[in-house]
């Protein structure tokens, strides 16, 4: 059973003047009792992805 799932998640900063693609077509699923780690170099979008995943949960509660 998945507890968090996303398909084709995309985030673009400053779309009007100079668009910066921060996340592009990210699809993933987190299963119950599964351990997942996001790893990568500084500036690759780990925090952006976490913010995009958590915001709907905060608004839902």
């Amino acid at each position: 059973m998945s507890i968090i799932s996303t398909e084709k998640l995309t985030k673009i900063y400053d779309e009007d003047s100079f668009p910066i693609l921060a996340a592009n077509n990210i699809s993933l699923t987190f299963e119950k009792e599964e351990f997942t780690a996001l790893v990568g170099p500084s500036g690759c979008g780990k925090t952006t992805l976490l913010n995009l995943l958590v915001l709907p949960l905060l608004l839902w509660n």
Side-chain angles (χ1 to χ4, degrees):
M1 175 183 171
S2 65
I3 56 173
I4 297 177
S5 181
T6 183
E7 291 185 23
K8 299 181 181 178
L9 182 66
T10 300
K11 173 65 177 173
I12 301 172
Y13 287 107
D14 202 8
E15 291 184 48
D16 297 328
S17 60
F18 187 76
I20 298 170
L21 186 60
N24 189 25
N25 279 334
I26 297 174
S27 297
L28 50 82
T29 301
F30 295 101
E31 300 293 335
K32 185 177 181 180
E33 299 180 1
E34 179 181 64
F35 180 81
T36 304
L38 296 175
V39 295
S42 177
C44 73
K46 299 178 299 290
T47 301
T48 298
L49 177 59
L50 287 174
N51 286 332
L52 290 170
L53 293 173
V54 169
L55 181 61
L57 296 173
L58 294 174
L59 294 176
W60 183 64
N61 287 326

